[in-house]
Structure formats: structure tokens, C-alpha cells
Amino acid sequence: MVRFAPVSIAALTLLAAPLPAHARDIVVHMKNMGKDGAMVFEPAFIKAKVGDRIVFTPTDPSHNAETLPAMLPAGATPMKGALNKEVAMTVSAPGLYGIKCMPHYSMGMVALVQVGQPAAADLVAAKAVKLPPLAAKRMTALLARVR
């Protein structure tokens, strides 16, 4: 009979354990025209995990990406990208992150990042945020996708 020392069994257990999931980069394009019309983020609805990095890329000129202050999880760091520049945001807390393109916000250029499973209260609070009419219409459709 072969006997294993306790240290050997612990080492084998660690080797057999699944590796932790690694954070991923999710690319979002900022476009003048996309599948959902003019002035859009593609994709506009992003599901992410804590630690993922969302990279906003200006596919067309005159766009930026920034968080909506009224739609940001507690403890999350606000983000504001410069015009015509790529900007990345590492999501650090579960919840809903509202994103806008400031130059085209009134034209409805918004996106929603869902990190983990937001609390019901987070969804209610996000739905209560006042946005310009076209942005509100698009955001309502995005919030309907939260699961």
C-alpha cells in the first residue's frame, strides 16, 4: 500500500482545483451609425464580472465615453474619457454602470454595463434616473435586459 504524506495530498488537491477565472477585456465601439441607428455604442449592453476591463474605442470621430454619476455602483470609480481617445474602465463593484457619450448624449448615445447580479434596488434606482428623452428611451430598453 502506498501512503502519501499530508503535504503531497495538499499539493495534489491544489493542482486538481479549477483555475480561477481571469479578467477579460470587452471592447465597445463608439459609432456614428450602427445596427440600432445613429450615435451608438456597440454593444450597448455589456455583461461583465468584477475585474473585467471595458475598453471604449472611438470607431468614428467625435465620441467619448464617461460614466453617468447617477448610475454608478457605490464604491465604483467614475470614468471620463477624452474626445476621440480610447478609454478603459475596470469594473470594481457589482451593479449597474450607466455610460454616455457627452457630445451625443441628447441623441441617445448611452450604454449599460451589468456587473454580476445587481440587487433589485439597484435596478429600481437606475430606472428612476432622469435622462434626455432619446437617451431615456434607449436606456429603458437596455435596463429591460438586466437579468
Side-chain angles (χ1 to χ4, degrees), residues 24-105:
R24 63 188 173 128
D25 282 357
I26 301 167
V27 177
V28 177
H29 298 276
M30 298 180 275
K31 297 178 146 190
N32 291 346
M33 185 61 71
K35 66 179 181 69
D36 291 329
M39 304 305 164
V40 293
F41 289 97
E42 281 190 353
F45 180 74
I46 302 100
K47 272 192 144 179
K49 295 178 181 170
V50 170
D52 285 350
R53 191 170 81 117
I54 317 301
V55 181
F56 296 91
T57 303
T59 305
D60 294 313
S62 300
H63 298 291
N64 85 321
E66 57 187 82
T67 51
L68 289 163
M71 199 180 299
L72 192 64
T77 304
M79 176 268 305
K80 183 175 182 177
L83 197 63
N84 298 319
K85 300 288 183 188
E86 183 174 280
V87 63
M89 171 181 76
T90 300
V91 291
S92 58
L96 299 172
Y97 294 70
I99 308 295
K100 67 180 176 180
C101 169
M102 191 60 228
H104 303 109
Y105 183 40

Side-chain angles (χ1 to χ4, degrees), residues 45 71-73 93-98 112-115 118 122-123 126 143 146:
F45 180 74
M71 199 180 299
L72 192 64
L96 299 172
Y97 294 70
L112 182 66
V113 179
Q114 175 185 335
V115 179
D122 294 337
L123 186 56
L143 289 166
V146 173

Side-chain angles (χ1 to χ4, degrees), residues 7-31:
V7 173
S8 297
I9 292 172
L12 289 173
T13 302
L14 285 174
L15 289 174
L19 294 174
H22 292 286
R24 63 188 173 128
D25 282 357
I26 301 167
V27 177
V28 177
H29 298 276
M30 298 180 275
K31 297 178 146 190

